[in-house]
Amino acid sequence: MALNDSERVSETGYKQELKRSLTFWDLMIYGLVFMVPIAPFGIYGVVAQGSNGMVALAYLIGMVAMIFTALSYATMSEAFPIAGSVYSYAQRGINDSAGFIAGWLILLDYIFVPALLYLVSAAALHDIVPELPLVVWLVLFISINTVINVIGIEFTARANKIIIVLELIVLAIFVAVGVFAIAQGVNGAEFTFKPLYDPNEFSLGLVMGAVSIAVLSFLGFDAIATLAEESKGGRKAVGNAIIVSLLVVGVLFIIQTWVAALIWPDYTSFENADVAFYQIAEIAGGAWLKWLTIIATAIAWGIADALVAQAAISRVLYSMARDRKLPKILSKVHPKFRTPYISTILVAFISLGVTLFFANRIGELASVINFGALSAFLFLHVSVVMYFMGKKKSKNYFKHLVLPVIGFLIIGYVWYSLDSLSKQLGFIWLAVGIIYLIFLKLTKRDTRIDLDG
């Protein structure tokens, strides 16, 4: 008789504490919200210039690249339907120490992502309403999201549905207005395949450099795996949600950037690449569309994306804390809402501190996040190979060897393309983690659990 997911959690040495309430659709929407369907609004100009105008191609390659990592997540989430994401997968796929390092690296991504999102959104709204200090917007965003996440993942899921609908409406408005503008030849616009492939401008090295930026818009699909112990859709629900959400958001990225590129074909003439998309929106529909896209971006990042990011990191902290890799109090579950509320509140305070510290250094904060995510993905692919090919002696070489190796090579290339600052800060974080791991081993404070699952 097949075990249900709660029984499979018990089989791995844990007890089912978190509330199972999320369906496949809840998980998929969670992933979409985390990746932000309108994410290209904020970085369009940089990607367009970096790809010589082939911005749609950059996102297409980025989506294909991330598919291999999504497949590895799906494979491991089916084998281990537990919270912790790559921390739990590396722990069981490689060994306990590798699991800690992978978890430590993904912490670098997850724990700083909410801070980055709050900071970008607060800065945008501060420009619109300069009378309100930046810190007021930060406290407002953080407080709203913390309350929602403590109340429960079901409430978070309901909020996600509302927000994703609003984002898709804004996106649909931009695309509709944009297509009409193209048909009218606004700003010299005409339909062409150049945003997808321009033989006169194409250079593999150049486009891949842009991909290293564009691919970061896809980060977040992996956070679905942190909700494995709150899913009620069966052992394949998490993996299916990861793959479907990645494909859906990838298509949306390609459509919106293609339309934008046609409206402003000369990517070398942006007045300011950081706000290029909003300039394009204004050309297509006027000032109202410009402000609509700006406000939508601020809300999508500061509320929606930060909301799910906070939920994700609290689950990783919870998972590591119950293994005593972090203070045990972080694994405390709220008696009524059945959420890891101590971890959630801690993330709120960390986010406030980080936003204040990096207020004028957003670039440095983003660099740290990129290093953590991509490094953790490398551990993930190794985990698939070592667990299935090594421990389970799998004969499915394509699924358990070829696909994760391809994923490792792709992520390795993107990781290699990171700037020197991100690597410097990332290795400092890694060194601190290794020292802390040694401390745990010497003091025997980490819990010994059955890792054969």
Side-chain angles (χ1 to χ4, degrees):
M1 182 177 177
L3 299 177
N4 61 38
D5 283 343
S6 295
E7 292 170 333
R8 285 168 64 82
V9 169
S10 299
E11 194 178 45
T12 60
Y14 302 121
K15 64 179 180 178
Q16 182 71 46
E17 293 183 293
L18 303 180
K19 184 178 181 180
R20 285 195 177 275
S21 58
L22 301 180
T23 65
F24 162 80
W25 293 104
D26 291 328
L27 295 171
M28 190 193 75
I29 291 172
Y30 178 90
L32 290 178
V33 170
F34 207 138
M35 286 182 280
V36 187
I38 59 175
F41 284 14
I43 61 173
Y44 172 83
V46 177
V47 179
Q49 290 182 341
S51 62
N52 276 6
M54 290 172 283
V55 61
L57 177 62
Y59 278 101
L60 175 61
I61 296 175
M63 178 179 69
V64 173
M66 285 292 101
I67 281 294
F68 291 96
T69 298
L71 290 172
S72 286
Y73 264 106
T75 298
M76 293 303 283
S77 67
E78 184 177 343
F80 302 105
I82 55 178
S85 185
V86 69
Y87 158 69
S88 298
Y89 304 153
Q91 184 187 59
R92 285 161 172 75
I94 307 174
N95 57 47
D96 191 48
S97 296
F100 174 84
I101 295 300
W104 186 259
L105 288 168
I106 205 66
L107 281 179
L108 189 58
D109 171 15
Y110 287 169
I111 210 164
F112 283 171
V113 159
L116 176 64
L117 299 171
Y118 290 135
L119 192 56
V120 172
S121 300
L125 293 179
H126 177 63
D127 286 339
I128 298 176
V129 189
E131 293 79 13
L132 283 179
L134 185 69
V135 67
V136 173
W137 289 112
L138 291 174
V139 171
L140 179 63
F141 280 136
I142 293 172
S143 299
I144 291 173
N145 284 356
T146 300
V147 170
I148 292 175
N149 274 319
V150 168
I151 289 177
I153 198 64
E154 290 175 278
F155 193 61
T156 302
R158 287 195 293 271
N160 287 343
K161 291 176 182 177
I162 295 172
I163 293 170
I164 199 67
V165 168
L166 295 177
E167 284 187 50
L168 292 177
I169 290 174
V170 172
L171 180 56
I173 291 173
F174 169 78
V175 172
V177 174
V179 169
F180 182 77
I182 294 169
Q184 298 298 312
V186 173
N187 200 40
E190 61 179 0
F191 180 78
T192 173
F193 283 99
K194 287 184 177 181
L196 187 63
Y197 178 68
D198 185 349
N200 297 321
E201 299 288 347
F202 182 80
S203 165
L204 182 60
L206 190 71
V207 173
M208 289 305 293
V211 170
S212 69
I213 301 173
V215 76
L216 299 176
S217 296
F218 293 97
L219 297 183
F221 67 88
D222 54 298
I224 296 175
T226 66
L227 303 179
E229 288 183 43
E230 291 156 279
S231 167
K232 64 177 182 179
R235 64 178 185 171
K236 292 183 178 292
V238 170
N240 291 339
I242 287 174
I243 295 172
V244 172
S245 64
L246 180 62
L247 291 174
V248 170
V249 84
V251 171
L252 295 178
F253 286 171
I254 293 170
I255 292 173
Q256 64 192 276
T257 54
W258 197 327
V259 170
L262 295 180
I263 296 172
W264 193 315
D266 186 4
Y267 59 88
T268 64
S269 62
F270 295 139
E271 297 174 14
N272 182 351
D274 291 340
V275 294
F277 196 96
Y278 310 125
Q279 295 173 353
I280 293 171
E282 185 172 22
I283 290 174
W288 69 271
L289 187 57
K290 171 188 174 182
W291 289 110
L292 178 64
T293 53
I294 289 176
I295 294 173
T297 300
I299 294 176
W301 287 29
I303 296 293
D305 200 1
L307 178 68
V308 294
Q310 186 180 31
I313 182 55
S314 65
R315 270 65 181 176
V316 176
L317 293 174
Y318 162 81
S319 185
M320 296 182 74
R322 70 180 175 185
D323 287 345
R324 298 188 184 278
K325 300 296 192 302
L326 294 174
K328 185 67 175 177
I329 191 174
L330 295 179
S331 65
K332 193 172 180 60
V333 175
H334 195 284
K336 178 181 179 181
F337 303 122
R338 295 175 65 185
T339 55
Y341 72 106
I342 298 296
S343 292
T344 301
I345 294 172
L346 175 64
V347 173
F349 281 107
I350 292 177
S351 295
L352 181 59
V354 172
T355 52
L356 295 177
F357 182 78
F358 283 96
N360 298 313
R361 293 178 290 174
I362 294 178
E364 293 181 19
L365 180 57
S367 295
V368 174
I369 292 169
N370 298 342
F371 181 94
L374 296 174
S375 298
F377 289 170
L378 293 176
F379 273 90
L380 169 71
H381 291 300
V382 173
S383 300
V384 174
V385 175
M386 293 193 68
Y387 179 74
F388 287 99
M389 301 303 297
K391 296 184 178 182
K392 295 300 182 181
K393 309 301 180 185
S394 171
K395 300 300 181 182
N396 192 339
Y397 297 106
F398 181 72
K399 181 178 181 180
H400 298 145
L401 180 61
V402 175
L403 292 180
V405 167
I406 293 175
F408 182 93
L409 294 175
I410 293 174
I411 296 301
Y413 177 84
V414 179
W415 184 96
Y416 180 77
S417 301
L418 290 174
D419 61 89
S420 59
L421 176 62
S422 64
K423 293 178 181 177
Q424 291 171 7
L425 296 176
F427 278 121
I428 291 174
W429 176 266
L430 178 60
V432 172
I434 292 174
I435 293 173
Y436 181 54
L437 176 62
I438 293 173
F439 168 77
L440 291 175
K441 297 298 182 183
L442 292 178
T443 58
K444 303 185 186 308
R445 296 192 179 190
D446 54 330
T447 301
R448 302 299 181 213
I449 59 177
D450 178 13
L451 299 182
D452 292 327

